[in-house]
Amino acid sequence: MVQIEELEQQVKALAEEGRERLEQAGSLEECEAVRVALLGRKGKITELFQLLPQLPPEARPEAGKLINTLKDQFQEALEQRLAALKAETIERRLQEEAVDVTLPGRPVALGRLHPSTQVLREIYRIFSGMGFQVFESPEIETDEHNFQLLNIPPDHPARDMWSTFYLVEPGLLLRTHTSPGQIHVMRKFAPEPIRAILPGKCYRYEQVTARSEMMFHQVEGLAIGRKITMADLKGVLTEFAHQMFGEGRRFRFRASYFPFTEPSLEMDMDCILCGGRGCRVCKHTGWVEILGAGMVHPQVLRNGGYDPQEFTGFAFGMGPERILMLKYNIDDIRLFFANDLRFLEQFSGGPR
Ligand code: PHE
């Protein structure tokens, strides 16, 4: 037999235990452990109910009430504790994850123009000041425009000057230079005079080295008119070079050969690195080549729709990457298209 007083003791003790353990429970999981310990199938409160049959029958209703009250109170305390813990968790997360809206924002990295684009725009600026317009011409060309109409028939040894990517489609190729644009622009404007520059990408089937890329830019220039002479060529190119490289530089024109100009020449500048005394960059000559040029060949004028008895003209071709390399003493052309930001970000000038 169990006496009611004994049970009352146990109820009191369990009420106390429940309160203390809930207070100490620091997490939802710990609360759940306390619940199982008291109200689970083998929990201490659950087990109290099993004592009921051992009480004197007249004490049982009173005892049942006591245990039920204990159970209800524990459950209520458990819910309160759970609610408090949830609120605490939310509060803690709010504090931990708080955003300090007063902190300055992270700067957004600004893009800028590729150095080739920057120098191209500089070239446009200089030539537009001398009345040249920009004319675009295709990168995929016919053999006819890239070679034949420029006095380079099939099997002509001059084709060796341009290692060529041929397309699968017969007669098509990636232009090896911007000179085929001369034919396009002449056929568009003949018999009007022309002053145009033709920028764009060119492709050569070559071993990629510090000095040669498979893809690079060129800017072609073409002036056609009555009474245009080599003096005009020299004047325009010298003015360009002074604006591009600075007033102090010296230039020279040297005889050369291109099938589509006659006479042909190359323009050199005194070596920026050694000031003309001779170094590794200029191969100890004191001079570096900056572009190829010449008077438009009469046959090319005819191919473009001009009568060489009436019209003459000059043409030139330069490489913007080469200009940058000379200007900033860059010794590897591959840097331009390797997309290494450490290189590209050094060219911060120029319009965005
Ligand atoms: N197209 C020539 C080259 O790629 C350069 C050039 C252009 C020479 C115009 C003369 C006149 O080498």
Side-chain angles (χ1 to χ4, degrees):
M1 266 300 175
V2 178
Q3 295 307 311
I4 182 91
E5 291 76 18
E6 216 176 298
L7 187 91
E8 278 176 345
Q9 286 300 319
Q10 289 196 33
V11 166
K12 256 179 97 180
L14 276 180
E16 185 66 19
E17 179 179 343
R19 208 178 305 120
E20 270 177 20
R21 288 180 68 170
L22 280 179
E23 227 165 76
Q24 282 159 16
S27 67
L28 303 184
E29 293 73 32
E30 284 171 29
C31 279
E32 174 62 8
V34 179
R35 190 193 64 79
V36 171
L38 296 187
L39 282 186
R41 269 200 311 128
K42 292 188 177 149
K44 289 182 174 172
I45 296 178
T46 316
E47 278 174 351
L48 278 187
F49 286 105
Q50 286 153 20
L51 288 180
L52 284 177
Q54 298 175 41
L55 283 158
E58 66 282 4
R60 285 178 200 164
E62 172 70 13
K65 248 195 229 161
L66 276 175
I67 307 173
N68 272 323
T69 314
L70 170 66
K71 185 180 158 187
D72 291 347
Q73 284 174 348
F74 174 75
Q75 249 164 355
E76 196 178 312
L78 175 71
E79 264 152 41
Q80 277 177 10
R81 185 69 189 128
L82 282 174
L85 279 173
K86 279 182 193 155
E88 257 174 49
T89 313
I90 290 173
E91 187 57 32
R92 194 173 340 110
R93 280 191 53 187
L94 278 176
Q95 290 198 352
E96 281 172 7
E97 296 168 18
V99 177
D100 183 352
V101 292
T102 66
L103 276 177
R106 295 196 190 121
V108 177
L110 282 184
R112 61 188 63 159
L113 295 177
H114 188 278
S116 298
T117 307
Q118 290 184 28
V119 77
L120 276 168
R121 292 193 177 180
E122 176 71 359
I123 293 170
Y124 304 160
R125 190 190 62 74
I126 296 172
F127 280 104
S128 70
M130 294 188 274
F132 285 73
Q133 64 174 304
V134 176
F135 189 87
E136 287 202 67
S137 164
E139 286 176 32
I140 294 179
E141 265 300 358
T142 60
D143 187 284
E144 199 185 7
H145 282 85
N146 197 80
F147 291 126
Q148 295 168 40
L149 294 168
L150 297 173
N151 285 341
I152 314 165
D155 305 319
H156 191 283
R159 290 218 177 189
D160 291 352
M161 291 166 79
W162 297 278
S163 319
T164 309
F165 283 110
Y166 289 95
L167 303 196
V168 177
E169 184 101 2
L172 290 185
L173 45 80
L174 296 183
R175 66 176 173 193
T176 56
H177 51 174
T178 44
S179 299
Q182 289 187 31
I183 301 292
H184 291 296
V185 72
M186 282 193 278
R187 287 187 172 177
K188 177 159 168 124
F189 289 108
E192 296 299 319
I194 295 175
R195 259 181 280 174
I197 52 172
L198 301 95
K201 295 194 188 81
C202 301
Y203 303 84
R204 290 193 192 169
Y205 183 51
E206 278 174 355
Q207 170 91 49
V208 174
T209 66
R211 295 176 62 88
S212 65
E213 255 287 3
M214 284 194 289
M215 186 210 78
F216 54 92
H217 289 89
Q218 273 194 349
V219 178
E220 193 84 5
L222 182 70
I224 309 271
R226 298 175 181 84
K227 300 197 177 86
I228 288 190
T229 70
M230 188 112 91
D232 298 307
L233 180 161
K234 291 175 78 173
V236 164
L237 290 180
T238 306
E239 174 60 23
F240 161 75
H242 277 311
Q243 287 198 39
M244 179 56 82
F245 292 102
E247 281 301 327
R249 307 247 64 93
R250 286 181 298 132
F251 302 97
R252 72 174 185 185
F253 294 87
R254 170 167 58 74
S256 182
Y257 170 73
F258 299 101
F260 34 89
T261 44
E262 182 58 37
S264 302
L265 54 89
E266 273 166 54
M267 184 178 182
D268 292 344
M269 178 172 68
D270 59 331
C271 179
I272 290 187
L273 208 64
C274 62
R277 281 185 302 279
C279 69
R280 202 176 53 85
V281 168
C282 59
K283 299 195 198 97
H284 304 283
T285 62
W287 296 95
V288 289
E289 179 201 326
I290 58 174
L291 53 82
M295 299 306 290
V296 181
H297 192 286
Q299 184 56 46
V300 175
L301 280 172
R302 237 175 263 125
N303 293 344
Y306 290 87
D307 176 3
Q309 297 299 327
E310 193 183 344
F311 287 93
T312 52
F314 66 82
F316 56 87
M318 63 177 82
E321 284 84 24
R322 185 169 169 75
I323 288 178
L324 282 171
M325 290 170 79
L326 292 174
K327 211 167 156 168
Y328 298 113
N329 189 24
I330 299 162
D331 59 6
D332 193 335
I333 192 172
R334 291 169 295 193
L335 288 166
F336 287 99
F337 307 112
N339 280 340
D340 186 336
L341 287 179
R342 290 170 301 177
F343 172 73
L344 298 174
E345 281 175 346
Q346 295 176 63
F347 299 88
S348 55
R352 290 203 190 276

